[in-house]
């Protein structure tokens, strides 16, 4: 494929290929000398229309580790602020011949639209409530390294499912790999249609966590609740916040995940988040660099092959 727009478009075999390559990049990243020339001579532009700490910095590090020239567009000081549209901005950058465009946008589908307009490879770094494919891939790598497999696991995804592109991408990926999926949260934060992705729906946290291998907490996304129902933080933590008492319903060796950023004391107790015997939250961040290296490496190979074919055709 030319782009990475969502998990929806990936097969189980393609997911495994990305995870296997990412595994190798974890090793490279841990070395003191971290050189690879997979993206040598290539230009990567990061366009983040929404805030980011983990995704933007790890895409930048990943590109640099692979030898790309990386440019971070500062959207806050760009001509977007003068009213330039997303597509015009993308076309402008496209005219400078980048090879990889990493895009985060608040509108679902915006990255897919942009990908149809440019000549380079586009990676979706999160679009609205739609997909966050590299997050699901880094979560899968974290689970596989921790549990030794990425199939036949009971995975509970808990909290604000309605606004979560992370939940959607994870459900699709974990479903394709053959896992037992559960969604836990208040009915007000449980969108219709998610059950069609093959998950059991639970309103009660203790029931949903029973014998889970993986407990994936989601951030309560107040910024996306635009005028809708916002639960009381106290009540929410009481019913859906992960604490030691509720976690005890999961398997004794269950791992705790959170994509970040975390609202401590809202969806997760700070002590659980920091418990190195249960929480793999920092591993998720580490895997983020390796997974993004793998995704960009594979897309760059496809891009080089496509350009080679076009060159041959032109003779
Ligand atoms: N998980 C995630 O996407 O984090 P950032 O918003 O910090 O990139």
């Amino acid at each position: 494929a030319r782009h990475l727009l969502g998990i929806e478009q990936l097969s189980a075999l393609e997911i495994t290929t990305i995870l296997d390559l990412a595994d190798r990049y974890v090793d490279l990243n841990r070395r003191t000398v971290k050189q690879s020339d997979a993206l040598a001579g290539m230009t990567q532009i990061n366009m983040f229309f929404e805030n980011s700490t983990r995704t933007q910095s790890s895409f930048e590090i990943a590109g640099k580790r692979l030898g790309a020239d990386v440019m971070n567009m500062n959207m806050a000081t760009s001509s977007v602020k003068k009213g330039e549209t997303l597509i015009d901005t993308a076309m402008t950058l496209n005219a400078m011949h980048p090879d990889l465009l990493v895009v985060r946008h608040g509108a679902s589908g915006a990255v897919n639209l942009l990908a149809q307009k440019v000549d380079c490879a586009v990676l979706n770094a999160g679009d609205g409530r739609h997909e966050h494919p590299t997050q699901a891939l880094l979560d899968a790598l974290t689970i596989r390294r921790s549990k030794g497999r990425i199939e036949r696991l009971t995975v509970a995804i808990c909290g604000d499912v309605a606004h979560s592109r992370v939940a959607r991408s994870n459900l699709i990926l974990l479903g394709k790999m053959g896992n037992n999926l559960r969604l836990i949260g208040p009915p007000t934060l449980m969108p219709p249609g998610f059950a069609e992705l093959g998950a059991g729906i639970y309103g009660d946290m203790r029931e949903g966590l029973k014998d889970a291998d993986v407990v994936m907490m989601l951030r309560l996304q107040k910024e996306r609740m635009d005028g809708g129902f916002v639960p009381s933080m106290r009540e929410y933590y009481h019913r859906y916040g992960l604490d030691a008492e509720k976690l005890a319903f999961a398997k004794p060796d269950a791992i705790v995940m959170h994509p970040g950023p975390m609202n401590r004391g809202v969806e997760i107790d700070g002590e659980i988040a920091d418990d190195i015997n249960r929480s793999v939250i920092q591993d998720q961040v580490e895997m983020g660099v390796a997974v993004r290296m793998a995704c960009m490496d594979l897309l760059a190979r496809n891009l080089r092959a496509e350009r080679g074919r076009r060159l041959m055709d032109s003779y």
Side-chain angles (χ1 to χ4, degrees), residues 172-223:
I172 299 171
L173 187 152
L174 293 166
K176 285 185 189 220
M177 305 310 282
N179 294 282
N180 174 26
L181 302 171
R182 298 178 187 169
L183 290 174
I184 310 172
T188 46
L189 296 177
M190 198 64 72
F194 266 57
E196 288 159 23
L197 293 172
I201 310 282
Y202 295 80
D204 181 86
M205 185 109 175
R206 291 165 186 84
E207 205 183 311
L209 289 182
K210 197 165 178 334
D211 297 328
D213 297 289
V214 177
V215 180
M216 195 179 284
M217 302 308 299
L218 300 171
R219 181 170 70 87
L220 196 64
Q221 299 191 47
K222 283 181 273 182
E223 77 277 15

Side-chain angles (χ1 to χ4, degrees), residues 48 51-56 104 125 132 135 165-166 259-261:
F48 279 66
N51 293 348
S52 170
T53 296
R54 282 146 281 266
T55 313
Q56 182 165 357
R104 169 171 287 190
H132 192 348
Q135 179 69 47
R165 55 197 176 207
V166 174

Side-chain angles (χ1 to χ4, degrees), residues 55-183:
T55 313
Q56 182 165 357
S57 56
S58 60
F59 262 117
E60 181 177 355
I61 290 170
K64 287 179 174 167
R65 292 262 200 273
L66 298 178
D69 295 315
V70 185
M71 197 266 274
N72 285 305
M73 274 292 297
N74 184 346
M75 301 322 295
T77 57
S78 74
S79 289
V80 168
K81 291 287 166 200
K82 299 179 203 161
E84 192 161 37
T85 66
L86 165 71
I87 299 302
D88 283 341
T89 306
M91 296 297 284
T92 301
L93 294 173
N94 189 55
M96 299 181 206
H97 302 294
D99 303 286
L100 299 147
L101 211 47
V102 179
V103 187
R104 169 171 287 190
H105 199 276
S108 305
V111 184
N112 294 41
L113 187 68
L114 182 150
Q116 293 165 25
K117 307 280 181 187
V118 297
D119 303 317
C120 59
V122 175
L123 293 101
N124 182 358
D127 64 321
R129 301 174 190 185
H130 178 225
E131 279 237 34
H132 192 348
T134 55
Q135 179 69 47
L137 288 161
L138 75 88
D139 288 341
L141 185 63
T142 307
I143 294 170
R144 197 174 79 165
R145 289 175 70 97
S146 176
K147 292 281 163 202
R149 66 182 198 274
I150 188 66
E151 71 273 324
R152 290 174 288 103
L153 294 167
T154 297
V155 182
I157 302 179
C158 319
D160 183 359
V161 180
H163 301 104
S164 181
R165 55 197 176 207
V166 174
R168 203 180 137 74
S169 289
N170 263 302
L171 273 179
I172 299 171
L173 187 152
L174 293 166
K176 285 185 189 220
M177 305 310 282
N179 294 282
N180 174 26
L181 302 171
R182 298 178 187 169
L183 290 174

Side-chain angles (χ1 to χ4, degrees), residues 247-309:
L247 182 58
F249 284 81
K251 282 190 182 157
D253 63 349
I255 55 170
V256 174
M257 306 179 76
H258 194 304
M262 276 184 283
N263 295 307
R264 288 169 184 260
V266 177
E267 68 261 358
I268 190 164
D269 171 48
E271 277 186 30
I272 298 281
D274 297 335
D275 179 355
I276 54 165
N277 296 313
R278 307 303 297 269
S279 165
V280 293
I281 294 170
Q282 295 309 319
D283 300 285
Q284 289 174 265
V285 178
E286 183 185 357
M287 296 311 124
V289 178
V291 153
R292 286 164 182 134
M293 288 170 83
C295 291
M296 289 198 290
D297 180 351
L298 291 167
L299 289 184
R301 290 183 208 187
N302 292 348
L303 201 60
R304 284 199 171 103
E306 187 186 318
R307 286 172 179 169
R309 280 195 299 276

Side-chain angles (χ1 to χ4, degrees), residues 236-253:
Y236 186 83
Y237 181 68
H238 176 66
R239 296 192 57 173
Y240 295 104
L242 186 69
D243 57 16
E245 185 270 326
K246 295 190 195 87
L247 182 58
F249 284 81
K251 282 190 182 157
D253 63 349

